[in-house]
Amino acid sequence: MDQAPNSTKRRTALITGASAGIGRELALVFAHHGHDLVLVARRADRLEALAQEVKVKFGVKAHVIVADLADPAAPRKLFDEVAARHIMIDALVNNAGYTVPGFFRDTKWSDQAALIQVMVTVVAELCHLFGPGMAARNYGRIINVASLAGHLPGAAGGTLYAASKSFVIKMSESLSLEYQNNNVYVTALCPGFTYSEFHDVAGNRAEVSKFPKILWMDGDVVANQAYDAVMDGKAVIINGRLNNVLAWLARVLPQVPMRNLMARNQRNAKAKT
Ligand SMILES: NC(=O)c1ccc[n+]([C@@H]2O[C@H](COP(=O)([O-])OP(=O)(O)OC[C@H]3O[C@@H](n4cnc5c(N)ncnc54)[C@H](OP(=O)(O)O)[C@@H]3O)[C@@H](O)[C@H]2O)c1
């Protein structure tokens, strides 16, 4: 089913993983800039509370769609549900994500398969579903949330996390070129450590809390930079000066010392307790 035009001229942003962290902040930023929202995640209560919050604060409408994106049918169902509600998506934010801590060999394949589904397949499939409509209407903004980790060599533990984020960066770069004549801007957002629930879910909050404060950014800062970057048509944004320096070092330093550096970084290797 194709998407029907919106009845108002207000633009609508669909945000996955809007129930917490960076996704919630991105929802607030798009609402602040006058967008209606489609909020997607598993926790309905969080999404309903956010929908109410943006209505009161910014006077925008927010639709809630509860979905477990690990379900391979979820992207298509989401696209069809949006069409059935006659909502036209002008901006897509692929944000939902997490890591599977521990060494690859010690984890269940079902957990790794779910990570690939949520952080690789869903990101690609939602771009594939919503991108053509945006191009046909000559307007679209897509933020794919990657990570600084996607620019660094792989570390032990959390094995598919950095790999999935590298995928997201490369795919976003390609899509931004493919859509450059359609007024559809695609941005890979690459934050470093950001305050959110991410490390609570991963079970390594105590360890990462010991990292220096200078490494951390607030979610609202990351979200505002993401919004500006996609509106400016930047294909990739790495948040914060220090994270840019780290990504630059990873590009210019010989690979052996970089890998040695990553070998000391075992934070993701700790299994979830
Ligand atoms: N925080 C960081 O340091 C950091 C750094 C770089 C990149 N990132 C990236 O930023 C993005 C957002 O992470 P965050 O830091 O904001 O973490 P967070 O606070 O834990 O939020 C993660 C969001 O993803 C949703 N989600 C997870 N699994 C899902 C599933 N199966 N189906 C639907 N929604 C799902 C969660 O919603 P429900 O649980 O309600 O479903 C939640 O809204 C991720 O892609 C992450 O990789 C984070």
Side-chain angles (χ1 to χ4, degrees), residues 51-261:
Q52 189 57 25
E53 184 180 339
V54 295
K55 187 176 160 195
V56 172
K57 267 193 192 156
F58 306 110
V60 301
K61 196 194 277 183
H63 307 259
V64 167
I65 300 182
V66 176
D68 182 351
L69 296 173
D71 172 4
R76 184 77 221 185
K77 272 194 201 161
L78 180 55
F79 182 77
D80 289 346
E81 178 63 25
V82 162
R85 295 190 196 187
H86 303 291
I87 306 164
M88 190 173 68
I89 300 302
D90 305 292
L92 167 66
V93 181
N94 274 309
N95 162 79
Y98 59 97
T99 190
V100 176
F103 286 162
F104 197 58
R105 59 175 181 256
D106 297 331
T107 59
K108 287 191 287 185
W109 175 247
S110 56
D111 289 342
Q112 299 294 352
L115 182 144
I116 295 170
Q117 184 63 33
V118 173
M119 294 171 65
V120 175
T121 307
V122 167
V123 178
E125 192 171 355
L126 289 180
C127 287
H128 195 258
L129 286 165
F130 287 105
M134 292 176 178
R137 295 188 298 273
N138 201 41
Y139 183 90
R141 300 289 182 263
I142 298 177
I143 297 173
N144 292 323
V145 181
S147 171
L148 173 64
H151 295 276
L152 304 179
T159 320
L160 295 189
Y161 183 78
S164 73
K165 295 307 194 183
S166 296
F167 171 94
V168 169
I169 293 165
K170 292 296 171 205
M171 186 191 74
S172 303
E173 284 174 337
S174 293
L175 287 181
S176 80
L177 291 175
E178 290 179 26
Y179 281 127
Q180 65 185 346
N181 296 324
N182 303 104
N183 194 26
V184 175
Y185 299 162
V186 183
T187 299
L189 173 68
C190 305
F193 288 118
T194 306
Y195 294 113
S196 73
E197 295 174 13
F198 183 92
H199 298 97
D200 305 304
V201 176
N204 60 0
R205 169 67 59 204
E207 283 163 77
V208 297
S209 295
K210 293 176 195 148
F211 293 171
K213 285 229 167 350
I214 192 172
L215 288 175
W216 291 86
M217 290 183 73
D218 287 319
D220 59 336
V221 176
V222 168
N224 274 295
Q225 290 178 355
Y227 183 89
D228 291 346
V230 78
M231 291 301 165
D232 287 349
K234 289 188 181 141
V236 179
I237 174 182
I238 299 170
N239 303 90
R241 208 168 290 169
L242 182 56
N243 293 328
N244 273 281
V245 170
L246 293 171
W248 175 77
L249 286 173
R251 275 197 304 276
V252 300
L253 278 184
Q255 291 301 295
V256 172
M258 274 310 291
R259 287 212 187 90
N260 289 343
L261 194 67

